[in-house]
Amino acid sequence: MFEDDRIRVVKDAIAAYVKSPSLQHLRDPHSIITVAKAIIKQLDRDSGIWKKWEGQRDALLKASLGCWIPVGELQSYLNTLPGPSLTITDVCQRQRAYYEEPYSKYPNEDLKEGCLILFNEEKALGTELIAIIGRLAEHVEGEEERLRLEHDARYKAMRESEKLAAERRLLSGADCKWTHLKKSSECYCRVNGRTYRLTRAKDKRWSLSRVEGVSSEESADLIGTYLGKADATKVVAKIAYETEY
């Protein structure tokens, strides 16, 4: 790239960045790093560091990322496209360069076996590689969504189990952290065998009371009102070991 072209690329990128109306955004270190990486990426691409990756080669390789296509198969197909002969190292390092770009990720190891099974099935049928890549991309998208839903379901079940365990601990009379009982807007904790209740007021502050049981109808001795649970927790940690009158 000619020197004037390099200056133009940097100037255009900076000009686009400073158009942001937010001064906070302009000063944000993450945003500055992002624009710096974008400039370097543009300069590298325009200077032609990857000499063998012209035309459709780069597009096909990008489409295959995450699909677990055997590298040898990719190399063979890419070498049928216009351009210098590619080695296995050429292909592997070009993949790695894409994986290490900002917001990119390496392929999901859990999907490797399924992708290879589908690849071999389609190859045996004589399907063209670009079509196989399309099918594998759809497969990966569907499997990642399935895994996400399964993960969410497991997390939800774990959280529900933790809530039930916390409720049982509270009701058993054991010391416990702040715990919400079902169908109750208050939360309770027990420290040093003493039970405390937090109630949310209309002004969104928290009223802390000393109680004997965990019923909302239970008489309570008001201790104080606080902005958040953290403030109330500090108070409980102190008074729970003081003499009660």
Side-chain angles (χ1 to χ4, degrees):
M1 183 188 294
F2 294 107
E3 187 65 23
D4 288 346
D5 291 335
R6 293 172 64 84
I7 293 173
R8 176 185 52 77
V9 168
V10 175
K11 177 179 69 65
D12 290 346
I14 294 175
Y17 178 69
V18 298
K19 284 182 179 178
S20 172
S22 170
L23 187 60
Q24 181 179 0
H25 171 261
L26 294 176
R27 292 177 175 175
D28 178 43
H30 178 72
S31 298
I32 294 172
I33 291 172
T34 300
V35 73
K37 288 180 177 179
I39 291 172
I40 292 173
K41 180 181 176 182
Q42 181 67 31
L43 292 175
D44 286 348
R45 181 169 61 247
D46 291 347
S47 62
I49 287 178
W50 297 91
K51 302 293 186 181
K52 295 182 177 181
W53 296 89
E54 298 178 358
Q56 294 299 312
R57 283 181 165 183
D58 229 18
L60 186 138
L61 185 74
K62 287 183 71 174
S64 71
L65 297 176
C67 293
W68 291 107
I69 303 291
V71 179
E73 298 287 347
L74 267 178
Q75 179 206 17
S76 297
Y77 189 84
L78 288 167
N79 277 331
T80 66
L81 301 176
S85 179
L86 293 165
T87 67
I88 291 290
T89 302
D90 284 327
V91 178
C92 289
Q93 292 304 311
R94 190 65 177 126
Q95 285 180 322
R96 180 178 178 181
Y98 275 123
Y99 291 141
E100 293 181 350
E101 286 187 354
Y103 312 112
S104 297
K105 62 179 181 178
Y106 279 85
N108 190 332
E109 188 73 31
D110 295 336
L111 304 182
K112 182 176 182 178
E113 184 179 355
C115 284
L116 292 178
I117 290 173
L118 282 177
F119 175 83
N120 291 326
E121 288 177 355
E122 292 294 344
K123 183 181 177 183
L125 294 172
T127 306
E128 188 178 17
L129 184 63
I130 188 63
I132 296 177
I133 290 173
R135 184 184 176 192
L136 289 179
E138 293 174 351
H139 170 74
V140 168
E141 183 180 356
E143 286 298 288
E144 287 183 339
E145 177 65 10
R146 177 183 64 81
L147 292 174
R148 185 189 67 79
L149 292 175
E150 289 179 356
H151 175 270
D152 290 348
R154 287 195 300 270
Y155 179 76
K156 185 177 180 180
M158 180 189 69
R159 292 289 296 160
E160 187 63 27
S161 176
E162 290 176 349
K163 287 180 181 179
L164 291 175
E167 286 184 13
R168 287 195 293 267
R169 186 173 181 83
L170 175 65
L171 295 174
S172 71
D175 282 6
C176 60
K177 297 179 180 179
W178 292 114
T179 302
H180 279 277
L181 293 176
K182 289 182 178 179
K183 299 180 180 179
S184 174
S185 59
E186 299 91 357
C187 60
Y188 300 84
C189 80
R190 190 174 290 109
V191 180
N192 194 28
R194 301 175 184 177
T195 306
Y196 300 90
R197 182 173 73 200
L198 269 181
T199 304
R200 194 74 179 271
K202 291 182 179 180
D203 60 0
K204 296 185 179 180
R205 296 168 67 90
W206 292 89
S207 297
L208 175 65
S209 303
R210 172 75 165 91
V211 294
E212 294 298 325
V214 293
S215 170
S216 58
E217 299 176 356
E218 191 82 24
S219 60
D221 295 325
L222 180 65
I223 297 171
T225 304
Y226 307 93
L227 288 175
K229 285 185 179 180
D231 297 326
T233 301
K234 291 178 183 178
V235 174
V236 169
K238 179 181 179 182
I239 66 175
Y241 296 94
E242 296 178 350
T243 301
E244 285 190 310
Y245 297 97

